[in-house]
Amino acid sequence: MERRLAGRQERLEGTLRISSADWFAAYVLAPSLAELAQRHPGVVPEVIASYRLLDLSRRDADVAFRIVPFSEPDIVQRRLMTMPYGLYGSEATVRVVVEDPRAARLILMNSAQAHFPDVTWLIETFPQSKPAFTSTSRSVQAQMCARGLGVAVLPRPLGEQIGGLHRIDGFGQPPGRDIWVGYH
């Protein structure tokens, strides 16, 4: 987008509606959006932070970041990156889990996202463990994890920036997720 706009002499202004998950907006996009706002003060980024997949073809948003490819017609899309995930827990939780993995309590996505590969990995890695908490919000999962409620598989940019969380090694690597960007 920047290359297209760089050749124009006119001042950029208006609202740029961006759709993404809450954690992605807060921990991945925020630095870029701050730079955009400083470089182009006439552009007002509007972040729609939700796990819902907004319809770009209906102009629900101008740009969207998501973990699944776009199915709408006439949307330009690219695989932006593969987001690494990690297993996290509070300091006390890490000690408990390393000592006895069966004692792990699981923080999971809710039942609508139970098919996500990271959820499957966590359940298969700790087959004797019980769920302690579910949420559609990775940010809420991270907060509950930091408060010692259990272990969670989180995107590493989120897990590395939340105070009180420690990455747990020794149980293998959770699967990453592709991040797709789409625009009109």
Side-chain angles (χ1 to χ4, degrees), residues 9-101:
Q9 297 301 322
E10 57 195 56
R11 182 175 181 255
L12 300 176
E13 54 186 35
T15 301
L16 177 62
R17 293 177 51 119
I18 303 164
S19 170
S20 78
D22 64 338
W23 69 267
F24 192 81
Y27 296 95
V28 177
L29 289 180
S32 296
L33 294 177
E35 182 180 336
L36 173 70
Q38 289 174 342
R39 290 177 61 190
H40 303 285
V43 175
V44 179
E46 176 184 326
V47 175
I48 305 160
S50 172
Y51 68 90
R52 283 187 42 237
L53 300 179
L54 298 183
D55 189 343
L56 291 179
S57 62
R58 289 188 8 216
R59 304 276 185 191
D60 290 343
D62 299 310
V63 179
F65 298 87
R66 53 174 76 158
I67 59 173
V68 293
F70 295 79
S71 59
E72 301 99 324
D74 302 324
I75 298 300
V76 178
Q77 67 177 320
R78 302 277 185 273
R79 187 178 67 79
L80 182 66
M81 63 186 298
T82 298
M83 179 64 63
Y85 280 54
L87 178 64
Y88 292 89
S90 68
E91 188 174 335
T93 300
V94 172
R95 284 194 302 270
V96 168
V97 170
V98 168
E99 211 172 278
D100 182 8

Side-chain angles (χ1 to χ4, degrees), residues 140-157:
V140 173
Q141 290 176 10
Q143 290 298 324
M144 300 308 283
C145 189
R147 286 171 170 72
L149 201 58
V151 296
V153 173
L154 300 169
R156 287 182 56 181

Side-chain angles (χ1 to χ4, degrees), residues 86-164:
L87 178 64
Y88 292 89
S90 68
E91 188 174 335
T93 300
V94 172
R95 284 194 302 270
V96 168
V97 170
V98 168
E99 211 172 278
D100 182 8
R102 294 170 298 172
R105 300 209 45 214
L106 308 181
I107 298 174
L108 303 165
M109 296 300 285
N110 72 351
S111 58
Q113 286 87 25
H115 64 282
F116 284 4
D118 56 282
V119 175
T120 301
W121 180 89
L122 187 57
I123 291 169
E124 288 174 355
T125 302
F126 298 96
Q128 297 174 332
S129 297
K130 302 234 182 290
F133 184 82
T134 65
S135 175
T136 59
S137 170
R138 296 286 188 180
S139 298
V140 173
Q141 290 176 10
Q143 290 298 324
M144 300 308 283
C145 189
R147 286 171 170 72
L149 201 58
V151 296
V153 173
L154 300 169
R156 287 182 56 181
L158 172 61
E160 301 299 322
Q161 293 182 58
I162 298 290

